[in-house]
C-alpha cells in the first residue's frame, strides 16, 4: 500500500510529538524507540521509514518540537513588550503550571544533562535552538546588545536551574526556590536590584 506524502509527514509528526513528550518525561535513554512508536500508534518497524537512528530522532525533536513549545508558550503574551513581556515570561516560566508540566514544558530543566551527553548533532541542534530563543528574549531587554545578551543568559540560567532544582524538592522549598529565582531573574533582566 502506498501512502501520500501528507500521510508520511503526519506519521512523522506523530513520532516527533510522542518522542518529545517521552524525552522530557523519561530522558533519552529511558524513552525507547518501541515505547515512542507505541504512543504514536505505530509499529516499531515503521520507525526506520522516518529516521535512520534514535540519535537522528533526538536531533529532529530538538530542532522542531522544542521550538514549537517555546513559540506556543510565548504566544500567550505576544501582545506585551519590554518589561511587561519580561515579567510575564519569567512569571509563567516559573509558574505552578510549568513546574508540574515536565513532559510538556521547557526542555532545558528536564534534559540539560541528557543533551550534554548526547551526540554532536543533538548538541548542535540544541545550541541553535537556544541561540534563537536567546535572540527573541533579547529584543525585550532595554540595553545594548552585549549587555542584553549577558542579562538574558544569566536570567535563563537562574530560571531553568531553579525549575530543575524545584522539581527535586518537597513543595515549600520548591516554591521558595522558584519565587527567589523569579525575583532575581526579573531584576537581572531589567537591570535593577531585587
Amino acid at each position: 500500500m502506498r501512502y501520500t506524502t501528507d500521510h508520511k509527514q503526519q506519521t512523522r509528526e506523530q513520532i516527533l510529538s510522542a518522542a518529545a513528550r517521552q524525552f522530557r518525561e523519561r530522558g533519552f535513554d529511558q524513552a525507547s524507540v518501541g515505547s515512542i512508536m507505541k504512543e504514536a500508534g505505530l509499529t516499531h518497524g515503521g520507525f526506520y521509514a522516518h529516521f535512520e537512528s534514535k540519535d537522528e530522532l533526538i536531533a529532529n525533536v530538538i530542532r522542531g518540537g522544542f521550538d514549537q513549545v517555546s513559540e506556543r508558550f510565548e504566544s500567550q503574551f505576544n501582545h506585551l513588550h519590554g518589561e511587561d513581556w519580561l515579567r510575564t515570561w519569567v512569571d509563567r516560566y516559573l509558574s505552578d503550571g510549568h513546574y508540574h508540566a515536565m513532559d510538556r514544558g521547557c526542555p532545558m530543566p528536564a534534559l540539560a544533562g541528557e543533551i550534554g551527553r548526547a551526540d554532536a548533532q543533538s548538541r548542535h541542534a540544541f545550541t541553535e535552538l537556544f541561540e534563537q530563543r536567546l535572540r527573541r528574549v533579547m529584543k525585550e531587554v532595554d540595553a545594548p546588545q552585549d549587555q542584553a545578551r549577558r542579562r538574558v543568559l544569566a536570567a535563563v540560567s537562574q530560571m531553568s536551574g531553579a525549575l530543575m532544582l524545584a522539581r527535586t524538592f518537597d513543595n515549600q522549598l520548591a516554591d521558595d526556590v522558584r519565587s527567589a529565582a523569579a525575583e532575581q531573574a526579573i531584576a537581572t533582566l531589567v537591570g535593577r536590584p531585587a
Side-chain angles (χ1 to χ4, degrees), residues 73 77 80 83-99 159 163 178-179 181-186 189:
F73 171 71
F77 47 93
L80 301 174
E83 189 172 331
D84 291 337
W85 190 96
L86 293 167
R87 286 180 180 280
T88 303
W89 177 65
V90 170
D91 288 343
R92 293 208 180 155
Y93 189 90
L94 293 168
S95 70
D96 286 343
H98 194 212
Y99 166 69
M159 293 161 54
L163 198 56
R178 289 185 296 136
S179 176
E183 185 179 314
Q184 291 300 312
I186 291 168
L189 289 165

Side-chain angles (χ1 to χ4, degrees), residues 59-79:
N60 276 270
V61 165
I62 291 168
R63 252 185 234 104
F66 292 158
D67 197 35
Q68 291 170 4
V69 168
S70 296
E71 289 174 6
R72 190 170 52 246
F73 171 71
E74 292 168 6
S75 71
Q76 301 172 51
F77 47 93
N78 270 346
H79 61 285

Side-chain angles (χ1 to χ4, degrees), residues 96-167:
D96 286 343
H98 194 212
Y99 166 69
H100 291 292
M102 188 183 315
D103 63 331
R104 296 180 314 278
C106 178
M108 282 187 292
L111 292 173
E114 300 267 341
I115 293 169
R117 290 187 295 274
D119 69 328
Q121 179 184 15
S122 297
R123 287 192 316 274
H124 179 72
F126 191 77
T127 300
E128 285 182 342
L129 172 66
F130 184 83
E131 288 283 355
Q132 179 184 348
R133 302 321 310 159
L134 178 67
R135 287 189 298 273
R136 167 61 188 101
V137 179
M138 285 172 56
K139 291 178 182 178
E140 305 298 337
V141 177
D142 184 21
Q145 285 289 337
D146 61 331
Q147 192 176 33
R149 181 179 171 84
R150 291 182 58 77
R151 287 183 190 179
V152 175
L153 285 171
V156 168
S157 298
Q158 292 166 329
M159 293 161 54
S160 62
L163 198 56
M164 181 182 65
L165 282 174
R167 288 175 175 160

